[in-house]
């Protein structure tokens, strides 16, 4: 900001990046926590109804806070109750001490506001604790991961089955732009592009277009 240089912010899902912490020269292409909450709300309502008690485990930094805030607003708006919201340290590794209390909370839904390795570990441990096999309040217990990527899903393996979440983009979409990008990326690297590759490629195109139209860097 001080140098006056355009900043294309890649993988940022926090609302605050272009919300309260926005800068005049900062731009994002990736979606945010609010959009995940807004997109997931109708899906969760259709799948699980309006009578649920949700327990949040939230990564203790800006992204986690705004992700939880967005998911909580979305679920409470459709009638869900928030049983508890617990902050967890980034990179904790072992989340068992945070998952155990969920069993006695009366919650029938666990929302994991975790990303990357933390999400893989917390989801895996939640499944090991038998949460997916439980019935609470006459309902099958469910787990939700508001934001995940294919890499995270691969890391979680079969534990990710039946877990709703959101992604910015997926290489299997059928639009012409996606098909062209997947083809060129695949020819160069030998595998499909990730969501990370996609958003940074798109941001490069957006910046190149702006430079072209402005006639200057």
């Amino acid at each position: 900001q001080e140098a006056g240089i355009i900043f294309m912010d890649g993988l940022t899902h926090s609302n605050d990046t272009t919300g309260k912490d926005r800068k005049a020269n900062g731009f994002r292409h990736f979606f945010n926590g609010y959009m995940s909450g807004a997109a997931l709300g109708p899906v969760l309502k259709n799948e699980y109804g309006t009578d649920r008690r949700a327990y949040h485990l939230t990564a203790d930094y800006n992204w986690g806070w705004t992700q939880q805030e967005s998911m909580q607003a979305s679920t409470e708006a459709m009638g869900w109750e928030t049983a508890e919201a617990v902050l967890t340290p980034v990179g904790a590794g072992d989340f068992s001490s945070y998952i155990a209390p969920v069993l006695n909370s009366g919650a029938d839904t666990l929302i994991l506001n975790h990303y990357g390795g933390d999400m893989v570990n917390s989801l895996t441990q939640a499944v090991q604790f038998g949460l997916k096999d439980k019935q609470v309040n006459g309902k099958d217990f469910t787990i939700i991961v508001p934001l995940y990527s294919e890499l995270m899903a691969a890391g979680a393996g079969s534990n990710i089955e039946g877990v709703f979440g959101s992604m910015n983009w997926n290489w299997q979409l059928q639009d012409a732009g996606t098909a062209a990008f997947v083809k060129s990326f695949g020819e160069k690297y030998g595998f499909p592009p990730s969501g990370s590759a996609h958003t940074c490629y798109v941001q490069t195109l957006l910046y190149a277009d702006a430079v072209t139209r402005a006639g200057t860097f």
Side-chain angles (χ1 to χ4, degrees), residues 101-200:
V102 179
L103 297 164
N104 304 312
S105 67
D108 48 45
T109 304
L110 174 60
I111 300 179
L112 293 174
N113 300 297
H114 290 160
Y115 194 71
D118 280 352
M119 170 271 185
V120 172
N121 290 331
S122 61
L123 175 60
T124 299
Q125 288 160 23
V127 172
Q128 289 170 346
F129 268 73
L131 288 182
K132 272 189 172 182
D133 302 320
K134 282 178 64 67
Q135 270 220 333
V136 181
N137 308 325
K139 306 176 183 70
D140 291 336
F141 196 97
T142 190
I143 302 173
I144 298 161
V145 174
L147 175 69
Y148 64 76
S149 66
E150 285 186 324
L151 287 174
M152 289 160 61
S158 61
N159 296 322
I160 203 70
E161 291 175 10
V163 175
F164 282 102
S166 66
M167 295 175 70
N168 193 56
W169 172 88
N170 185 279
W171 67 270
Q172 297 169 85
L173 292 169
Q174 298 300 304
D175 60 281
T178 290
F181 177 52
V182 170
K183 183 175 184 293
S184 61
F185 188 98
E187 288 172 351
K188 184 171 180 65
Y189 297 107
F191 52 86
S194 66
S196 311
H198 170 261
T199 202
C200 292

Side-chain angles (χ1 to χ4, degrees), residues 17-141:
T17 306
T18 47
K20 75 176 183 65
D21 295 330
R22 65 188 179 275
K23 301 296 182 186
N25 64 321
F27 299 89
R28 79 190 304 157
H29 163 261
F30 205 67
F31 70 148
N32 63 10
Y34 170 83
M35 294 165 75
S36 284
L40 283 169
V43 175
L44 299 176
K45 182 178 181 180
N46 182 64
E47 189 73 17
Y48 302 120
T50 58
D51 182 24
R52 282 267 172 179
R53 280 176 55 83
Y55 193 112
H56 290 258
L57 289 182
T58 299
D60 191 9
Y61 71 110
N62 184 275
W63 168 73
W65 308 331
T66 65
Q67 174 64 86
Q68 180 200 311
E69 178 184 40
S70 297
M71 284 300 297
Q72 193 168 330
S74 180
T75 54
E76 288 180 355
M78 64 188 188
W80 289 23
E81 183 183 342
T82 301
E84 193 83 45
V86 177
L87 295 175
T88 62
V90 179
D94 183 1
F95 290 92
S96 55
S97 63
Y98 296 99
I99 294 168
V102 179
L103 297 164
N104 304 312
S105 67
D108 48 45
T109 304
L110 174 60
I111 300 179
L112 293 174
N113 300 297
H114 290 160
Y115 194 71
D118 280 352
M119 170 271 185
V120 172
N121 290 331
S122 61
L123 175 60
T124 299
Q125 288 160 23
V127 172
Q128 289 170 346
F129 268 73
L131 288 182
K132 272 189 172 182
D133 302 320
K134 282 178 64 67
Q135 270 220 333
V136 181
N137 308 325
K139 306 176 183 70
D140 291 336
F141 196 97

